[in-house]
Amino acid sequence: MKRRILIAAPLLAALPLVVPSARAAATDAASIAAPVTALDRALITTMKSASAGASFMTRYTALKPVVEQSFNLPVILETSAGLLWSQIPPAQQTELQTLFTQYTVASYISSFSGYGGQKFETLPGSRSVGASRVVTTDLIAPTGHKTKLAYVMSPAGATWKITDVLFEGTISKVATQRSDFGSLIEPGNATKLIAALKQKVTALSGGALHG
């Protein structure tokens, strides 16, 4: 009997090492996907609010903090502006950050403007791309049609935040913005980009926001 106990003891001692490791992996995956999950929930709420007749500003006020928490907007703006970002005067950089936040939130409100039974489904796990991870979620229409959205997640201090969105898994939002923004920035001057973002914000918000 003693010999059996001695043989089993090392096996029992090893078990606690396996369980925490699995739990840690699950916790890590959940923490990486958390910003996407929060955004998906907020967008469903936004759509339902729109269908219930909520004003643009009511939806904007509710969605803005979730977008700011889920996305690393300063990094996305800097990447979208490209190499000329460092040459833009600080005052213009600050104004652009405010406008870019308004533009991002207003774009989501405009795109998710009504609820008809849509739902999001986050695919399990994520794939690595350098230091980043990609979390994929499907927007499923009542008809069953799926629109694939892949979120590039990058470390931001002790958390993870979205730094790009790939529509249908391939079309980069940041790359598209970089193409659009690049033609509107001159060395040391982002006046044209500021004016363009103000116009977009006003149009997307129906005049509720004026940039």
Side-chain angles (χ1 to χ4, degrees), residues 1 7 23 49 52 56 65 67 71 123 132 136 141 145 148 155 175 185:
M1 181 64 70
I7 292 174
R23 287 177 179 172
S49 296
F56 174 90
V67 169
F71 287 85
L123 279 60
S132 300
T136 303
H145 175 74
K148 192 172 296 296
I185 302 176

Side-chain angles (χ1 to χ4, degrees), residues 47-124:
M47 288 189 282
K48 289 181 177 180
S49 296
S51 292
S55 68
F56 174 90
M57 285 309 301
T58 296
R59 287 174 281 153
Y60 180 88
T61 301
L63 184 60
K64 181 173 179 283
V66 180
V67 169
E68 290 179 315
Q69 186 65 32
S70 296
F71 287 85
N72 195 332
L73 293 176
V75 167
I76 293 174
L77 173 59
E78 183 173 343
T79 304
S80 298
L83 297 176
L84 291 177
W85 173 258
S86 61
Q87 299 180 35
I88 298 174
Q92 287 192 342
Q93 287 184 352
T94 299
E95 186 173 7
L96 281 170
Q97 287 169 355
T98 298
L99 287 169
F100 186 66
T101 297
Q102 293 178 337
Y103 168 67
T104 302
V105 179
S107 294
Y108 271 109
I109 292 175
S110 176
S111 297
F112 295 87
S113 57
Y115 184 71
Q118 303 95 321
K119 64 179 181 179
F120 287 98
E121 185 177 282
T122 300
L123 279 60

Side-chain angles (χ1 to χ4, degrees), residues 180-198:
D180 293 340
F181 291 3
S183 62
L184 298 172
I185 302 176
E186 300 172 351
N189 187 5
T191 301
K192 291 180 181 179
L193 178 57
I194 289 172
L197 284 176
K198 285 183 176 180

